Amino acid sequence: MRGHESKVLRLAVVAFACAMMAGCGGPLRYTPQGIGKAPGADAVVVADVNFDAAMTRLDINAKNLPPPDRLDASSTAFVVWARPDSDSPWQRVGALNYDVEDRTGKLKDASVPLTRFELVVTLEKNTNPESPSSEIIFKQDVEY
């Protein structure tokens, strides 16, 4: 009977290890849909969380994204913002690199000094605003 208990214990340890590895199985992937003035837009957000460094590396790919000036005549950019919670100020992450012909927007290898946060993409008059406009195009909570 002792050998059987040892086998069961080993199987339990292996199952637990597999479950733990599945929870840490690489970058997080989200697919938010456009809201506000761009309901037909789609995005893929890949968040690679590094808990040891308290950082997240972001890649964002948006498609079916209308040109900013078609959504608002005075707008020229889509800007990405992050904050840890609704009581905190927004931090500018970067601007999407927009391709008018393909109607795509991309942000590659951006770093966010957070491991859990709210993420929004807003329609802006320029690529470097001090705070986000109220024109939210995508919204996603990033959390493990």
Side-chain angles (χ1 to χ4, degrees):
M1 197 61 151
R2 189 119 170 113
H4 177 71
E5 291 172 357
S6 176
K7 250 185 191 177
V8 169
L9 180 60
R10 277 193 304 238
L11 284 173
V13 168
V14 168
F16 177 75
C18 288
M20 293 303 293
M21 288 178 10
C24 301
L28 303 171
R29 184 175 167 22
Y30 301 99
T31 54
Q33 294 183 325
I35 56 177
K37 292 185 176 183
D42 296 297
V44 174
V45 176
V46 177
D48 192 1
V49 179
N50 181 335
F51 289 102
D52 293 335
M55 296 286 292
T56 300
R57 187 187 60 78
L58 281 178
D59 285 341
I60 300 173
N61 289 298
K63 63 181 184 177
N64 305 319
L65 195 56
D69 61 347
R70 284 210 185 155
L71 300 176
D72 180 292
S74 63
S75 295
T76 64
F78 297 102
V79 178
V80 181
W81 305 87
R83 67 180 178 183
D85 56 57
S86 60
D87 295 327
S88 300
W90 288 103
Q91 302 170 23
R92 184 183 171 283
V93 176
L96 295 184
N97 182 9
Y98 185 73
D99 183 322
V100 70
E101 289 181 21
D102 291 338
R103 291 189 174 212
T104 59
K106 296 180 182 181
L107 180 68
K108 296 287 183 197
D109 293 322
S111 293
V112 178
L114 303 165
T115 58
R116 182 180 180 162
F117 52 94
E118 296 176 38
L119 178 77
V120 294
V121 177
T122 59
L123 181 63
E124 301 293 343
K125 297 191 185 324
N126 62 64
T127 59
N128 200 20
E130 290 185 25
S131 60
S133 74
S134 61
E135 297 294 342
I136 296 174
I137 303 300
F138 294 109
K139 184 175 185 176
Q140 180 65 55
D141 288 335
V142 175
E143 56 189 354
Y144 239 91

